[in-house]
Amino acid sequence: MTVLDEAPGEPTDARGRVAELHEIRAQAVAGPSEKATNAQHAKGKLTARERIELLLDPESFREVEQLRRHRATGFGLEAKKPYTDGVITGWGTVEGRTVFVYAHDFRIFGGALGEAHATKIHKIMDMAIAAGAPLVSLNDGAGARIQEGVSALAGYGGIFQRNTRASGVIPQISVMLGPCAGGAAYSPALTDFVFMVRETSQMFITGPDVVKAVTGEEITQNGLGGADVHAETSGVCHFAYDDEETCIAEVRYLLSLLPQNNRENPPRTEASDAADRRSDVLLDLVPADGNRPYDMAKVIEEIVDDGEYLEVHERWARNIICALGRMDGQVVGIVANQPQALAGVLDIEASEKAARFVQMCDAFNIPIITLLDVPGFLPGVDQEHGGIIRHGAKLLYAYCNATVPRISLILRKAYGGAYIVMDSQSIGADLTYAWPTNEIAVMGAEGAANVIFRRQIAEAEDPEAMRARMVKEYKSELMHPYYAAERGLVDDVIDPAETREVLIKSLAMLQTKHADLPSRKHGNPPQ
Ligand SMILES: CC(C)(COP(=O)(O)OP(=O)(O)OC[C@H]1O[C@@H](n2cnc3c(N)ncnc32)[C@H](O)[C@@H]1OP(=O)(O)O)[C@@H](O)C(=O)NCCC(=O)NCCSC(=O)CC(=O)O
C-alpha cells in the first residue's frame, strides 16, 4: 500500500505533517507509474506536467486541486483512486501574464473525463473567467469515462456551457495532443483556436470502428481525424505542427499577440522596424496586370514589423489569408485575398474562415486591415447548392458588426459583391485606400460588355471588333483607377511604397475609436 491508497496517518507534530504532505504531493506529481510514463513517451507524447512546463514561464505554475480523487464506485473504481483524477489544473504565467491551464493525464484512465475530473475543469474555467485571463486546455483524453456513465457525460455539458459563456470574454485555446473522441472533440470547437500535432493527435465524433459499422467506410484514425485532415480539409484546426515542443512554443507566441480579456487591448511592444519604412519592392511584387498571380503573403511580410506574422488556418481555404502581426508594435489582424490560390476568389470556405477571424479580432480589440485583390465570388453549382449565399453572408455580417478600427486597401481587383463584402467603405470601414493599380468595378470589363452591349455585339457586322470596342469603352468610362476616388468611395489613392506608413498613421489615429452597436440581446447571424 502507498500513501495514495491510505488515509493519512496519526498526527505526530507539525514537521511530521509537513513531511507527510510533501510525500503525498510527490506521489501526486509522479503519477501512476514509471511504466505508464514510459508508455506515454513511447507514443511520442509528453506527460501532462511536461507539457505544462513547456507552456508556462519557469516555476510559475500553481496547481489547484492536486489532491482531488473521484468518489465513484463499481467496475473496480473503488480500488483505483489516483490523485488529480486524471487532469492537472492551475495557473501560471506566459511572458509574465497570467494564463489558466488544464491538462489531461493520459496515464490515468486514458485521460477520460469522470465527474471529479470534470468539476476540476469547471472550477479552473470559472477562475479564468473571474480573473479575466486566457484558458489553455492541453487535451489528451479518451472522452467520457465509461465506468462513470452519464455523470461523466454531464461533466462535458458543464464545460460546453462555460466555453460558450467565456466566448469573446477571455481567449480560449485548445491544444490537441492525443486521441480526442466524442465529448472531447466538442469543447475545442467552441474555443477560439485549435492546435494539433501530426501523428499523435486526432479528433473525431465517432472513431474508425463506429464509422465502419455504420457506413462501411474503412479508414485509419489519422485519415479520419488527424492534424492534416483538420488543418486542410475540415478547417476544424487552426494550426498543425510536427511535434509537441514546436506546437506549445507557438501557443506561447499566439498568447503574446492576444489581450488577457475583452476589456484590454493586445499588448503593445516597442517596434524596431521604422514606421515610415518605404516599400518600393511592392511595385515589383504585385504585377499591374490583374490576371497575373502573385503571393499576397509576401506583401504582408513587407508591410508588417520585421516581416513577422502568424497565419491562422494557413492550409485551409488558401484563397484567403488571415494573419496576426504587428505594425509599429500594435497588434493587427490582416485579412487578404490570395491571388495565388483560385485567383483569390471568395468561396464557401474562404468566407467562413475570414468571418470567424474578423469576429475573433473584433471580440479581442484587434484592429483589422483588409487587403483586397478579389475577382468576385466563385461561381458554380456546388457553391450555390452548398449555400454560398449564407456562408458569404457570415463574412458580411462579421465585418458589419465589427466595431474595432477597420482599414481596407485595394491593391488591384475589387469586383462586385465580393468588393462590398471585403470591408468596403459602404459597410463601415473607417478608412479605405487604393493603389493606382486598382480596378474597382461591378464586374470585369469583358463580362460587363457582354451583358450590357449584348444586342449591339450580336447585330454588328464584326461582333469581335464591336466587343473589343465596347470593352474599351466600358473600361475608360467606369474602370479607371480614379473612378472610386472621384466619388469618395476610397479616401485616397496612395503610392504602394508608402503603404506601411499610411496604414500605421491611420491605425494611430483610430486608436481612440469608440463605436456602439444598438442595444439587443444578440443578433441572429447567418449560420
Ligand atoms: C483513446 C484510445 C484511442 C486510446 O488507445 P490506446 O491504445 O492509446 O490506449 P488504451 O486503449 O490502452 O487506453 C489506456 C487506458 O485508458 C482506458 N480508457 C480508454 N478510454 C476510456 C474511457 N473512455 N473511459 C475510461 N477508461 C478509458 C483504457 O481502459 C486503458 O486503461 P488501463 O491502462 O487501465 O488498461 C482508446 O482507448 C479508445 O478508443 N477509447 C475509447 C474512446 C471512446 O469511445 N470515447 C467516447 C466515450 S463516449 C463520449 O465521450 C460521449 C459521446 O460523445 O458520445
Side-chain angles (χ1 to χ4, degrees), residues 97-145:
R97 299 190 303 155
T98 301
V99 170
F100 287 80
V101 60
Y102 69 84
H104 301 291
D105 188 341
F106 190 85
R107 302 169 304 168
I108 297 173
F109 304 120
L113 179 135
E115 195 178 12
H117 177 124
T119 53
K120 280 184 69 175
I121 296 175
H122 299 167
K123 185 185 277 186
I124 215 68
M125 293 179 83
D126 289 340
M127 280 187 186
I129 295 166
L135 175 76
V136 177
S137 63
L138 301 172
N139 298 271
D140 187 3
R145 191 176 296 166

Side-chain angles (χ1 to χ4, degrees), residues 43 80 106-107 109-112 141-147 153 156 179 181-184 186 205 221:
K43 287 178 188 155
K80 206 175 170 193
F106 190 85
R107 302 169 304 168
F109 304 120
R145 191 176 296 166
I146 294 162
Q147 303 91 316
L153 222 46
Y156 272 123
Y186 301 123
I205 299 296
Q221 284 202 10

